[in-house]
Amino acid sequence: MQHTSRRGMMAGAAALTLVGPAIAQNAPIRIGLMLPFSGTFAALGENIAAAFELCLAEHDNRLGGRTVTLVRLDDESDPSKAPQNVNRLLERDKADVLIGTVHSGVVMAMAKVAKDTNTLLVIPNAGARAVTGPMCAPNIFRSSFSNWQPGYAMGKVAGERGAKKVATITWKYAAGDESVEGFKDGLKAAGGEVVKDLTLPFPNVEFQALLTEIAATKPDAVYAFFAGGGAVKFVKDYAAAGLNKTIPLYGPGFLTDGTLEAQGAAAQGMLTTLHYGDGLDTPKDNAFRASYTRTYKAVPDVYAVQGYDAAQMLGIGLAAVKGDLAKRSELVAAMEKARIDSPRGTFTLSKSHDPVQDIYLRKVVGTENHVEGVAVKALADPSPGCKM
Ligand code: PHB
């Protein structure tokens, strides 16, 4: 052991006290990225993480003046493993901030732990309404959407295009249920109704019996919520059954985002609604797409945009407190009043911390979800139950 004089120790202690807070702020900030890196949503998680890292790289890997250390965890989109996974990030990996996730069932566990431990959580996809509804909290933010939002816009468009009797099909879990709920609200407002609701458990892809039922029902249109690998298979099976020739297939844009290379001819001409699309041609989106394509040799999708914006939102909060996470109320206030300069277009946050944003109508042309126009401007989820 090194000998230190009492006087030296005293001086050391005094110096430590003086520079203590500064040291804490200069230490790297640890961000836990809890996302699916395997299973049907693997590509979604990868793209969120890639664009989150891109945004960091564009800022010298610093937020609010502090360097960032990322810790990745594959949540497998498995709600039963979620509480253990999120606790592992906090306790074993000592994450200061949580970013995640894609699956609505998994995010419920994340939000519960974030609330119990008062950890800052930014959700870069999962649209579960509860987390910006009854579970809303000052430390929980979303950079993506609520499941209700794109659904509502698609319902409105489908009704306006003359769909009177519509069938819906989705995985049976919160995201599918809430997406269909939004669709029904929009469709009803535009004079249509849903005559049949079909479901199968997540992440099953045995669609055949349900497609037979759709054919027998003969609706004016079908509304489907699927994403990732499941969306690829559904759109292909729908076309293979010949249904796309007579019954238009609508959906939130997740049905065709990041999936078009694999869906090919089966998706051509499809109309979907989402808060992002191809061909926006704004300076911000063009710069983002160029940077992403240069770095990853791939075209970004909506999931990438949401990951990028999660980093931007966190960056705004941390900049306001110069990296001092202890100044929580100032940090939260800065995020709450931010106008986020997103590749999707500028958006703000509602009182419940959910994006208030334009929802575009897109049409599949080749491998693009080409933006045709705005389906609903500055759409806010009514966020029932949020009291903050
Ligand atoms: C969700 O579970 O909330 C979810 C998953 C994938 C999507 C959209 C929503 O593309």
Side-chain angles (χ1 to χ4, degrees), residues 299-376:
V299 178
D301 56 13
V302 69
Y303 308 106
V305 170
Q306 295 166 173
Y308 191 83
D309 290 341
Q312 291 209 93
M313 285 166 59
L314 190 57
I316 290 168
L318 283 167
V321 295
K322 300 196 169 53
D324 186 356
L325 274 169
K327 294 189 175 149
R328 177 63 66 82
S329 54
E330 281 170 54
L331 184 153
V332 164
M335 287 174 74
E336 282 177 337
K337 64 170 191 278
R339 291 177 57 80
I340 296 111
D341 186 15
S342 169
R344 76 188 82 172
T346 303
F347 70 90
T348 56
L349 294 171
S350 68
K351 284 208 166 52
S352 67
H353 298 177
D354 191 57
V356 177
Q357 56 193 343
D358 292 350
I359 308 290
Y360 302 107
L361 174 64
R362 309 114 46 90
K363 182 179 182 176
V364 175
V365 184
T367 54
E368 289 206 336
N369 284 292
H370 190 262
V371 171
E372 303 284 295
V374 175
V376 185

Side-chain angles (χ1 to χ4, degrees), residues 44-115:
L44 288 61
E46 290 291 356
N47 294 354
I48 289 168
F52 189 90
E53 288 186 25
L54 179 67
C55 185
L56 291 181
E58 289 174 357
H59 294 89
D60 291 333
N61 203 35
R62 297 175 90 81
L63 292 179
R66 289 173 68 181
T67 49
V68 172
T69 302
L70 290 182
V71 191
R72 281 185 182 225
L73 188 147
D74 177 9
D75 68 34
E76 303 166 53
S77 295
D78 186 343
S80 74
K81 295 183 184 158
Q84 187 191 338
N85 280 335
V86 64
N87 281 319
R88 189 174 296 169
L89 275 177
L90 292 179
E91 283 156 28
R92 184 192 67 184
D93 302 324
K94 310 277 179 240
D96 301 306
V97 175
L98 292 171
I99 304 289
T101 184
V102 168
H103 185 285
S104 273
V106 178
V107 94
M108 292 298 286
M110 288 191 85
K112 179 163 188 327
V113 174
K115 234 178 139 151

Side-chain angles (χ1 to χ4, degrees), residues 41 44 102-104 125-127 145 147 173 175 225 227 254 303:
F41 290 159
L44 288 61
V102 168
H103 185 285
S104 273
N125 185 72
F145 58 90
N147 290 314
Y173 80 114
F225 170 89
F254 314 118
Y303 308 106

Side-chain angles (χ1 to χ4, degrees), residues 212-355:
T212 305
E213 214 173 325
I214 289 172
T217 307
K218 296 194 176 63
D220 299 331
V222 169
Y223 176 79
F225 170 89
F226 296 105
V232 170
K233 175 131 192 319
F234 182 76
V235 169
K236 289 180 95 166
D237 286 3
Y238 193 85
L243 291 173
N244 61 338
K245 302 221 167 55
T246 49
I247 310 171
L249 175 58
Y250 297 133
F254 314 118
L255 200 54
T256 58
D257 231 77
T259 55
L260 289 174
E261 303 263 353
Q263 287 163 337
Q268 294 311 303
M270 276 179 62
L271 296 178
T272 61
T273 48
L274 203 62
H275 46 286
Y276 189 59
D278 298 304
L280 285 172
D281 199 20
T282 58
K284 179 73 184 182
D285 191 40
N286 290 345
F288 167 70
R289 289 168 85 97
S291 173
Y292 190 94
T293 305
R294 202 166 43 241
T295 309
Y296 298 114
K297 315 284 175 255
V299 178
D301 56 13
V302 69
Y303 308 106
V305 170
Q306 295 166 173
Y308 191 83
D309 290 341
Q312 291 209 93
M313 285 166 59
L314 190 57
I316 290 168
L318 283 167
V321 295
K322 300 196 169 53
D324 186 356
L325 274 169
K327 294 189 175 149
R328 177 63 66 82
S329 54
E330 281 170 54
L331 184 153
V332 164
M335 287 174 74
E336 282 177 337
K337 64 170 191 278
R339 291 177 57 80
I340 296 111
D341 186 15
S342 169
R344 76 188 82 172
T346 303
F347 70 90
T348 56
L349 294 171
S350 68
K351 284 208 166 52
S352 67
H353 298 177
D354 191 57

Side-chain angles (χ1 to χ4, degrees), residues 66-222:
R66 289 173 68 181
T67 49
V68 172
T69 302
L70 290 182
V71 191
R72 281 185 182 225
L73 188 147
D74 177 9
D75 68 34
E76 303 166 53
S77 295
D78 186 343
S80 74
K81 295 183 184 158
Q84 187 191 338
N85 280 335
V86 64
N87 281 319
R88 189 174 296 169
L89 275 177
L90 292 179
E91 283 156 28
R92 184 192 67 184
D93 302 324
K94 310 277 179 240
D96 301 306
V97 175
L98 292 171
I99 304 289
T101 184
V102 168
H103 185 285
S104 273
V106 178
V107 94
M108 292 298 286
M110 288 191 85
K112 179 163 188 327
V113 174
K115 234 178 139 151
D116 291 349
T117 57
N118 197 24
T119 307
L120 187 62
L121 165 66
V122 184
I123 304 165
N125 185 72
R129 291 183 91 186
V131 296
T132 50
M135 285 182 77
C136 73
N139 58 310
I140 301 177
F141 286 83
R142 184 146 55 197
S143 68
S144 52
F145 58 90
S146 89
N147 290 314
W148 182 89
Q149 285 173 307
Y152 177 84
M154 193 70 248
K156 195 169 154 284
V157 171
E160 284 165 3
R161 295 177 68 86
K164 291 272 173 273
K165 301 209 175 297
V166 182
T168 72
I169 178 165
T170 177
W171 281 313
K172 183 78 200 144
Y173 80 114
D177 292 346
E178 294 170 0
S179 182
V180 166
E181 194 181 334
F183 178 78
K184 284 180 178 169
D185 288 349
L187 184 66
K188 193 169 166 211
E193 62 171 332
V194 167
V195 293
K196 189 167 242 357
D197 287 309
L198 299 168
T199 62
L200 72 171
F202 177 88
N204 286 12
V205 291
E206 280 79 49
F207 301 120
Q208 224 46 54
L210 299 172
L211 292 173
T212 305
E213 214 173 325
I214 289 172
T217 307
K218 296 194 176 63
D220 299 331
V222 169

